[in-house]
Amino acid sequence: MKTIKTIILSVILILISNSYSFASEKLFEEAKKKFEKKDYEKSKFLFQRNIVFNPKNAESYLYLAKIFNTEENQEEEEKNLDTTLLLQPDNEEAIYMLINIQIDRSNFKKANTLMNRFSSVCKSMCKKKKEISKSLQDIEAKDEKTN
């Protein structure tokens, strides 16, 4: 009798976790569609809901960072990028976006550190290295002129 109860309980738990996972996946896909249609408010809400279901979904944090970038909310963008990198340390897009934030702030040291990290993990965005290097050189030139 105990074995039957254990089996039934196990089946119920599996079904619940599968539906929970499916709901999270569905939320993410819907949020992504809204993002692609530039409906940032709805997609932000859906990505945030997805994080409630799946707090370790690095892609949701990355998309939230992109939304905050369009809203020019650098503080929230950076928080979401940091979380993305906590969950997925080799996410080259998140590193690239953080480099741009540091370049905007004229923080050469931090941007250079991130550039080194970017160089070691880049796979599909390696072409961006030249663009970043030029921006970093521009910052160095500005720093030399002011000193």
Side-chain angles (χ1 to χ4, degrees):
M1 192 67 165
K2 262 188 173 180
T3 308
I4 294 173
K5 285 182 181 180
T6 305
I7 292 172
I8 291 172
L9 184 59
S10 297
V11 169
I12 290 171
L13 288 174
I14 290 170
L15 290 174
I16 289 171
S17 69
N18 283 344
S19 65
Y20 194 69
S21 173
F22 179 74
S24 174
E25 199 172 305
K26 190 174 178 181
L27 270 175
F28 180 80
E29 290 305 318
E30 183 64 25
K32 202 169 161 185
K33 285 178 189 175
K34 298 285 185 194
F35 179 85
E36 289 166 358
K37 291 179 181 178
K38 300 184 190 291
D39 188 352
Y40 298 127
E41 281 306 309
K42 287 182 182 174
S43 67
K44 184 194 316 184
F45 175 74
L46 291 170
F47 282 124
Q48 289 169 335
R49 277 190 58 199
N50 184 52
I51 288 169
V52 170
F53 284 106
N54 186 1
K56 293 184 180 178
N57 186 326
E59 290 295 308
S60 289
Y61 291 102
L62 182 62
Y63 275 99
L64 282 172
K66 291 176 184 182
I67 292 167
F68 287 119
N69 179 282
T70 64
E71 294 175 351
E72 297 180 7
N73 185 340
Q74 217 173 54
E75 186 177 324
E76 288 299 317
E77 177 186 2
E78 187 174 16
K79 284 179 190 176
N80 281 282
L81 290 171
D82 287 340
T83 305
T84 301
L85 290 172
L86 258 171
L87 298 170
Q88 206 175 54
D90 61 345
N91 188 309
E92 61 188 320
E93 191 173 3
I95 297 169
Y96 175 75
M97 290 174 71
L98 271 176
I99 291 170
N100 286 326
I101 289 173
Q102 297 309 320
I103 289 172
D104 284 348
R105 293 178 180 164
S106 297
N107 187 343
F108 174 73
K109 187 175 181 180
K110 180 83 175 186
N112 208 18
T113 302
L114 287 166
M115 174 60 174
N116 292 334
R117 183 175 175 187
F118 181 79
S119 295
S120 68
V121 301
C122 82
K123 292 176 186 144
S124 63
M125 295 181 69
C126 291
K127 293 177 185 175
K128 299 280 188 184
K129 281 198 271 189
K130 285 183 182 177
E131 177 187 318
I132 297 167
S133 293
K134 182 173 177 0
S135 296
L136 289 173
Q137 288 171 352
D138 291 346
I139 291 173
E140 277 184 324
K142 280 182 189 175
D143 284 349
E144 287 175 9
K145 285 181 182 178
T146 58
N147 290 333

